[in-house]
Every structure is written in C-alpha cells, then in structure tokens.
C-alpha cells in the first residue's frame, strides 16, 4: 500500500524522481503502458535510461500506423530493452468484423467503443494482471476528462494504483524534454498528428484545435476509448 506520506512525496517529486521512487516501492510490480506518443516517449526514456524495474508494454490494435512499428523497433535498438507487445484476441476481432463490418466504428459511438474495448481495453486488462502500479503518460491539458486527475490515485476497478507523473506538464515541457535528450518521435507529430491512435481513427489537427480533436474526428464525444475513463 502507498501511505499518505508516500503519496504526498510523489506529488512533490519531479517526474523522473517520482518514477525512481514508485519503482523502488513496487519493484517488478510497476508497469508502464506506452502508445509511443510524445508523452510516452518521455517516460520511456526516463525508465529505460535509468534502467528502472518497470515493465514497459504497448498495445498493438492491428490498425496502427506503420510509423508506430518503426518507432517501436528504434526504441528497442536504442535502449537495448524490448517493449512487450499485447494483441487483441483474434476471435474477438473476427466476430466484431464479421458481425458489424470492418469499419463499423464509423457508424456509431457504440460500435466505436466496442471496437476500442476489443482492441485496447481487453488487452490492457491482461497486461495489468499482477501489477500494483500502472504508470501513464496522461496530462491534464489533453482533454476535459483529464483535467483534475491527480498524480497518484487508486483504480478501484482494476485494484491498483495509477501514477500520472506528467499530469501537470504542459506541451512545451514535453517538447523541451524530447529535444534535450534527443528522444525519437513519431514523424506523424510534425504533420499535425499530436494525439495518435489507430490509423483510421486519427487525423491531423489544425492550429488552435484541442490535441484530442483529431481522435475519432467524426464524433462529438469525450474523445476517450475507455482506457482512462473516470
């Protein structure tokens, strides 16, 4: 368990020091889920560069951009540590596509959330089995749903702690870190893709748009897939 004192310490520590602190509290029981976006590349660098005892994993939905795979390979080569990959259950995908259609997520929010559940949420739940701390790259300014999220919180549904070391970072800080440590990034970011998910569900944003506006761009929803719903 994380004591009140430990929680207060985490809230005060810079992200890199916080990662060292939480991984020392829960060695081999802290995991980090990366989507290979800019925030997650920051945390991947902090974890791998410091050789922290944190399992880094990613979810391959089967509909990612080719750039995701290139960057994953580059990360493995640069740090000499492999990111674990989780896939959706083949039968789930087959049933969804055969029942509703290969691009059914365009037809309704319900279909889109069902697709996200199969391709993201279920694999995530498998990846989190046995973990005591789930580290994320969430930032509060990314969306309304993430405003007010704390640095450390208890996830009642999954029965583990959720640690958000970058929750108070702004986008400028993310870019400065990536530049300072020469961290590799998805080339898509320079083309206006700030928040990058599955290929058919992501578009570039225009100047002044919310970073999440390019996700599920045909919807007027809260722009969440279910991984971080509150």
């Amino acid at each position: 368990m994380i004591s009140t004192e430990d929680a207060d310490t985490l809230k005060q520590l810079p992200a890199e020091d916080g990662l060292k602190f939480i991984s020392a509290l829960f060695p081999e029981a802290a995991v980090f889920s990366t989507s290979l976006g800019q925030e997650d590349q920051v945390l991947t660098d902090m974890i791998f560069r410091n050789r922290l005892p944190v399992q880094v994993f990613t979810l391959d939905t089967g509909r990612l951009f080719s750039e995701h795979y290139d960057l994953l390979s580059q990360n493995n080569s640069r740090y000499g540590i492999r990111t674990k990959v989780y896939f959706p259950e083949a039968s789930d995908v087959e049933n969804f596509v055969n029942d509703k259609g290969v691009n059914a997520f365009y037809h309704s929010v319900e279909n889109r959330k069902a697709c996200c559940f199969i391709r993201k949420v279920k694999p995530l739940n498998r990846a989190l089995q046995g973990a005591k701390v789930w580290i994320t790259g969430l930032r509060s300014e990314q969306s309304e749903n993430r405003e007010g999220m704390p640095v450390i919180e208890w996830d009642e549904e999954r029965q583990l702690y959720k640690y958000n070391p970058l929750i108070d970072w702004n986008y400028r800080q993310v870019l400065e870190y990536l530049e300072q440590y020469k961290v590799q990034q998805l080339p898509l970011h320079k083309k206006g893709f700030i928040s990058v998910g599955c290929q058919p569900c992501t578009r570039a944003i225009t100047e002044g748009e919310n970073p999440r506006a390019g996700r599920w761009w045909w919807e007027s929803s809260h722009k969440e897939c279910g991984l971080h719903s509150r």
Side-chain angles (χ1 to χ4, degrees), residues 8-71:
D8 289 340
T9 297
L10 276 173
K11 294 173 186 177
Q12 301 301 318
L13 288 174
E16 191 163 338
D17 291 335
L19 287 169
K20 294 176 182 177
F21 186 82
I22 199 76
S23 62
L25 283 178
F26 299 98
E28 310 302 336
V31 300
F32 168 53
S33 55
T34 175
S35 66
L36 300 169
Q38 290 170 305
E39 292 83 3
D40 291 346
Q41 282 296 98
V42 167
L43 293 177
T44 295
D45 182 74
M46 290 179 178
I47 291 167
F48 285 165
R49 183 164 44 80
N50 290 286
R51 295 298 190 265
L52 300 180
V54 175
Q55 173 68 66
V56 179
F57 70 87
T58 191
L59 307 177
D60 185 347
T61 66
R63 304 208 64 168
L64 300 178
F65 288 84
S66 62
E67 287 87 344
H68 281 101
Y69 302 104
D70 293 337
L71 182 55

Side-chain angles (χ1 to χ4, degrees), residues 2 132 134 136 138 148-156 160-164 167 228 230:
I2 294 180
K132 295 182 179 178
W134 172 23
T136 84
L138 299 179
M149 279 189 174
V151 172
I152 185 77
E153 58 185 320
W154 175 252
D155 188 322
E156 183 65 29
L160 47 61
Y161 290 101
K162 191 173 179 182
Y163 177 45
N164 310 306
I167 198 67
H228 302 291
R230 303 185 72 187

Side-chain angles (χ1 to χ4, degrees), residues 88-210:
E89 296 290 342
S91 59
D92 287 343
V93 177
E94 288 175 0
N95 291 337
F96 179 84
V97 171
N98 288 325
D99 181 43
K100 297 181 179 295
V102 68
N103 288 333
F105 42 81
Y106 289 137
H107 302 156
S108 70
V109 174
E110 180 182 23
N111 281 354
R112 194 270 293 170
K113 289 185 176 181
C115 186
C116 287
F117 182 78
I118 290 168
R119 295 179 184 271
K120 294 182 178 181
V121 178
K122 286 189 69 175
L124 173 72
N125 290 340
R126 284 192 287 115
L128 294 178
Q129 288 179 4
K132 295 182 179 178
V133 178
W134 172 23
I135 300 166
T136 84
L138 299 179
R139 293 188 300 109
S140 62
E141 69 177 16
Q142 289 171 325
S143 70
E144 292 182 4
N145 184 61
R146 298 173 185 186
E147 291 178 0
M149 279 189 174
V151 172
I152 185 77
E153 58 185 320
W154 175 252
D155 188 322
E156 183 65 29
E157 179 181 353
R158 296 185 174 96
Q159 291 292 294
L160 47 61
Y161 290 101
K162 191 173 179 182
Y163 177 45
N164 310 306
L166 302 184
I167 198 67
D168 293 325
W169 279 39
N170 57 43
Y171 189 50
R172 177 184 55 78
Q173 289 174 288
V174 173
L175 295 179
E176 287 177 350
Y177 182 97
L178 294 170
E179 174 61 27
Q180 179 181 353
Y181 290 96
K182 307 303 179 187
V183 179
Q184 301 158 136
Q185 303 178 54
L186 290 169
L188 293 164
H189 295 309
K190 293 184 178 180
K191 300 177 181 180
F193 293 81
I194 304 304
S195 177
V196 187
C198 291
Q199 186 171 21
C201 299
T202 309
R203 67 158 173 81
I205 64 171
T206 58
E207 186 175 354
E209 280 192 299
N210 184 282

